[in-house]
Amino acid sequence: MDKEQTVMESGIHRDFTDDMTYGDYLQLDKILSSQQRLSGHHDEMLFIIIHQASELWMKLILHELDAAIACVRREELEPAFKMLSRVSRVQLQLIQSWEVLSTLTPAEYMQFRDRLGRSSGFQSYQNRLIEFALGYKNRDVLTVYRHQPELHQRLSQALNEPSLYDAAIRALAARGLPIDPECLDRDWSRDYQANPSVEQAWLTVYRDVGKYWDLYELAEKLVDIEDRQQQWRFNHMKTVERIIGHKTGTGGSSGVAYLKRVLDHRFFPELWNLRTQL
C-alpha cells in the first residue's frame, strides 16, 4: 500500500479536549452499553439489538407521523408527503430486520427464552402508538401499561386523538367532497370502520386525478404505508413461526395465531376497496 494512503490528512481534527465528538453527539456510551445479556448466550446479543434498533426506527416513524398528521389537519398536504415517504422507507428497514432475526434457530432461542420472563414485543408501546396514529384503536391494550401511569396517560391521549386517516378524511371534506358527518365527528378512540361516503369520495379523487392531485398523492402515500405495515406484520408472523412454531408467546398471547388474525385488519379500507371499482 502507498505510504501516503496510510497518513491522515493534515486538516483532520485530533484534539477533542474542548470539543464534542461523534460519540458525544450520539451518546454512544449510553446506546452501546445497553445490550445486557441475561443468559450470556452468544445469540442473545442478536435478539437484543434487533429489538432495540426496531424501537429506534419506530421512534422516527412516530416523529414523522405526528408531524404529518399536523400538516394534513392544517390542509398543508405537500409537506406531509415527504414525511410519509420517509415513514414507508423506515418501514423497509423494519421489514428487513426480520430477515436478520430469522438467522436465530429454534435451538439457539430456547437457550435464553426463559430469561425473558413475561416480557414480549406485544408490550411495545411505540408499536401501539403507531397503530393508534394509523387508526387501529383498541382500548383494551391500555391495561398492559397500568403499572406505568405516565405511559398509560400518553397512550390514552393518543387513543382519543384523530388518526392520520381521520385527518385525511377531513381533508376530503374540506375540498367539498360529501362525507358522512359521523366520520367527521366521532369517538376517535374506536377503531375506524369503512364508510360508503368515504369510499365514494376517494373514487371521485381517483377518477379525476388532475383536479385532486394532492389528495390522490396523499391516498397513494397511505397505501404505501399500509402495504409496508402489512409486510412487516407478515414477516413478523413468519419469523415467530420459524423460531418458536405455535408456542404461546412469552407475554401470554397465542403467538402465531394472534399474529395471523392481525393480518386481516385494514387501516385504510376504502383505499383498497375502490381498486375493484375503478
Side-chain angles (χ1 to χ4, degrees), residues 28 35 46 63 68 77 99 104 112 130 142 151-152 162-164 184 193 228 231-232 236 240-241 248 258 266 272 275:
L28 292 182
Q35 295 73 46
L46 163 68
H63 178 70
L77 301 189
E99 294 292 321
L104 181 68
F112 61 86
I130 290 171
L142 295 185
L151 183 53
H152 186 279
S163 70
L164 174 62
L184 303 174
Q193 301 297 316
R228 300 271 168 79
Q231 289 180 49
W232 181 83
H236 182 190
V240 170
E241 185 175 32
T248 300
Y258 168 78
R266 288 288 195 190
W272 296 96
R275 279 156 163 75

Side-chain angles (χ1 to χ4, degrees), residues 6-251:
T6 66
V7 178
M8 286 203 302
E9 296 176 2
S10 60
I12 292 177
H13 196 69
R14 293 170 171 79
D15 183 2
F16 289 92
T17 304
D18 298 313
D19 290 308
M20 177 176 64
T21 67
Y22 171 83
D24 294 335
Y25 175 69
L26 296 178
Q27 299 188 56
L28 292 182
D29 55 337
K30 295 180 181 179
I31 294 174
L32 299 180
S33 62
S34 298
Q35 295 73 46
Q36 302 298 322
R37 289 178 291 168
L38 298 182
S39 68
H41 191 276
H42 175 84
D43 295 297
E44 190 181 356
M45 183 65 75
L46 163 68
F47 192 81
I48 292 171
I49 288 177
I50 285 291
H51 289 87
Q52 287 183 340
S54 294
E55 291 293 334
L56 285 173
W57 283 125
M58 287 181 190
K59 183 172 184 176
L60 180 56
I61 286 177
L62 287 168
H63 178 70
E64 300 296 339
L65 283 179
D66 288 346
I69 291 171
C71 284
V72 175
R73 293 183 70 174
R74 293 194 302 268
E75 298 178 40
E76 299 172 1
L77 301 189
E78 291 205 6
F81 297 157
K82 176 65 176 292
M83 300 164 189
L84 297 177
S85 291
R86 185 172 291 160
V87 168
S88 63
R89 283 163 175 75
V90 172
Q91 287 174 305
L92 286 176
Q93 301 300 314
L94 289 169
I95 292 167
Q96 181 62 29
S97 71
W98 296 122
E99 294 292 321
V100 182
L101 187 58
S102 68
T103 64
L104 181 68
T105 69
E108 292 164 346
Y109 182 47
M110 293 310 295
Q111 294 297 311
F112 61 86
R113 186 177 190 243
D114 62 328
R115 298 301 182 93
L116 304 181
R118 296 187 183 277
S119 65
S120 165
F122 183 86
Q123 298 145 19
S124 169
Y125 74 85
Q126 290 199 123
N127 186 46
R128 294 300 176 195
L129 287 171
I130 290 171
E131 290 181 339
F132 288 177
L134 297 180
Y136 185 27
K137 305 291 185 73
N138 183 352
R139 184 175 295 278
D140 288 344
V141 303
L142 295 185
T143 60
V144 175
Y145 309 97
R146 284 181 301 193
H147 65 295
Q148 297 172 288
E150 291 185 8
L151 183 53
H152 186 279
Q153 175 58 33
R154 181 181 175 187
L155 285 156
S156 180
Q157 181 178 341
L159 181 77
N160 288 282
E161 290 177 346
S163 70
L164 174 62
Y165 198 48
D166 291 318
I169 292 171
R170 285 185 169 184
L172 291 171
R175 290 290 290 276
L177 294 164
I179 300 293
D180 190 332
E182 70 178 27
C183 294
L184 303 174
D185 185 17
R186 65 183 188 86
D187 181 353
W188 308 120
S189 71
R190 298 179 66 85
D191 192 29
Y192 177 77
Q193 301 297 316
N195 182 282
S197 70
V198 174
E199 185 168 331
Q200 186 57 50
W202 284 125
L203 274 168
T204 299
V205 169
Y206 274 74
R207 286 170 175 162
D208 194 348
V209 172
K211 181 177 180 180
Y212 299 106
W213 176 260
D214 54 347
L215 291 171
Y216 171 72
E217 183 73 7
L218 175 61
E220 286 298 293
K221 297 298 185 191
L222 295 178
V223 170
D224 286 344
I225 288 173
E226 173 153 352
D227 190 15
R228 300 271 168 79
Q229 193 71 7
Q230 291 290 61
Q231 289 180 49
W232 181 83
R233 284 171 161 179
F234 179 79
N235 285 18
H236 182 190
M237 181 270 294
K238 295 304 293 183
T239 302
V240 170
E241 185 175 32
R242 174 172 178 160
I243 296 175
I244 68 167
H246 290 264
K247 293 184 181 71
T248 300
T250 51

